[in-house]
């Protein structure tokens, strides 16, 4: 897995940002959400990785990066914003 992100490496993650508030209604509630309008890249550090749920029984070392999720820390941002992201969001 040469192109697979490794623990401790820094990668950019695409995040959606900006936008106008739009109405959102679910079956039992309604609220307002911001509609994402642009993608930005944020620098992150890879803290952990795990297989996607559909591959949970397989050895993580043999899975391609597309079958993994990565726990990332956004550099310069509070750790409460850390999150699991799919490989497709890493650049």
């Amino acid at each position: 897995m040469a192109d697979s992100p490794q623990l401790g490496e820094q990668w950019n993650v695409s995040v959606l940002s900006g936008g106008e508030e739009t109405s959102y209604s679910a079956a039992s509630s309604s609220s307002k959400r911001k509609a994402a309008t642009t993608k930005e890249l944020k620098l992150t550090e890879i803290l952990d990785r795990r297989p996607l749920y559909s591959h949970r029984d397989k050895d993580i070392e043999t899975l391609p990066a597309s079958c993994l999720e990565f726990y990332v820390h956004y550099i310069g941002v509070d750790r409460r914003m850390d999150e699991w992201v799919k490989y497709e969001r890493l650049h």
Side-chain angles (χ1 to χ4, degrees):
M1 286 193 295
D3 65 339
S4 178
Q6 300 298 312
L7 301 182
E9 288 183 342
Q10 292 185 354
W11 284 65
N12 286 313
V13 171
S14 60
V15 294
L16 298 176
S17 65
E20 306 172 357
E21 279 193 359
T22 58
S23 294
Y24 171 77
S25 60
S28 61
S29 67
S30 64
S31 62
K32 290 190 176 201
R33 283 191 181 170
K34 285 195 173 189
T37 57
T38 59
K39 283 188 179 180
E40 293 181 24
L41 294 178
K42 301 278 186 178
L43 185 62
T44 64
E45 178 182 356
I46 307 293
L47 300 179
D48 200 1
R49 59 190 176 154
R50 68 181 180 193
L52 294 173
Y53 186 76
S54 59
H55 300 283
R56 68 187 179 279
D57 297 330
K58 298 181 180 149
D59 180 24
I60 195 168
E61 299 302 324
T62 61
L63 290 172
S66 60
C67 296
L68 300 174
E69 288 183 309
F70 299 88
Y71 193 68
V72 298
H73 167 66
Y74 294 95
I75 306 295
V77 178
D78 192 291
R79 292 225 180 251
R80 290 179 292 166
M81 302 305 291
D82 294 359
E83 65 176 332
W84 289 98
V85 298
K86 292 185 178 181
Y87 177 70
E88 293 81 29
R89 289 183 52 197
L90 296 173
H91 299 277

